[in-house]
Amino acid sequence: MLKELITPQNANVFVGKLGDILYKAVDQPLGMAINWGRMWSLWPVHIETACCSVEFGAASSPRYDVERFGIIEAFGSLRQCDLVVVQGTITRKMAPRLRLVYDQMPEPKYVIAMGACAITGGLYFDSYNVLPGIDGILPVDVYVPGCPPRPETLIQGCMLLQEKIKRMKAR
């Protein structure tokens, strides 16, 4: 009879409140620290098929130095990377392989579509085998326009992605 009167909801009022207070006190700072780490250590996978790859190489040079923005150039495998930078034209034959690369990456993962070819198909938009943008096969987080986009534009796109990561709720 006593078991029926005492339920988890009315057993101790302070346990529930204390749990809420601890959750709010630890969750927000911990989430901010996790997002800070994600924001400043992006490991990219490069899908390079066109002239945008030269601009990405220029952004990696000492003149622009994307490493100061937290984009690490050296990576081991797809299972360590969390950013896909799609540069150039993606054909229908390449689309399943691009999706395979994306699926092999751990969560959370982010996608940047760089250049007119990756965003809309570019000059080849009316070709039978060119995809009219990669957003049909991957969820794109940031679009970097241009043909080819300048290194400054790529850095701005990376900074926009970092702002998006900063606002995300850490899981």
Side-chain angles (χ1 to χ4, degrees), residues 86-90 113-122 131-135 143:
V86 181
Q87 309 158 0
T89 310
I90 301 298
M114 180 178 171
C117 294
I119 296 171
T120 63
L131 289 179
I134 63 161
D135 50 359
Y143 295 93

Side-chain angles (χ1 to χ4, degrees), residues 4-161:
E4 295 171 4
L5 295 175
I6 299 175
T7 64
Q9 288 80 21
N10 65 9
N12 190 346
V13 177
F14 297 111
V15 170
K17 297 294 180 190
L18 183 63
D20 290 343
I21 291 169
L22 283 175
Y23 179 75
K24 289 178 183 175
V26 172
D27 181 49
Q28 192 170 8
L30 187 62
M32 290 171 60
I34 289 170
N35 284 344
W36 180 84
R38 289 177 181 164
M39 192 170 79
W40 293 106
S41 63
L42 294 170
W43 289 44
V45 174
H46 312 258
I47 309 297
E48 302 172 346
T49 61
C51 51
C52 294
S53 61
V54 176
E55 295 297 325
F56 195 91
S60 303
S61 71
R63 182 174 189 167
Y64 297 103
D65 190 24
V66 291
E67 284 191 20
R68 65 190 160 122
F69 295 103
I71 300 171
I72 302 168
E73 289 301 314
F75 57 87
S77 73
L78 294 175
R79 284 156 183 76
Q80 296 171 338
C81 298
D82 57 358
L83 171 64
V84 176
V85 182
V86 181
Q87 309 158 0
T89 310
I90 301 298
T91 61
R92 296 189 193 285
K93 196 174 190 178
M94 187 183 290
R97 289 158 182 86
L98 176 60
R99 184 63 197 199
L100 180 69
V101 165
Y102 180 78
D103 289 339
Q104 288 182 358
M105 293 169 46
E107 291 286 338
K109 44 192 164 188
Y110 314 102
V111 178
I112 293 178
M114 180 178 171
C117 294
I119 296 171
T120 63
L123 298 172
Y124 315 105
F125 70 94
D126 59 349
S127 178
Y128 70 95
N129 66 337
V130 173
L131 289 179
I134 63 161
D135 50 359
I137 55 171
L138 298 180
V140 178
D141 294 302
V142 176
Y143 295 93
V144 179
C147 185
R150 299 266 312 139
E152 297 93 345
T153 314
L154 176 63
I155 290 171
Q156 182 185 11
C158 293
M159 291 170 70
L160 287 172
L161 179 63

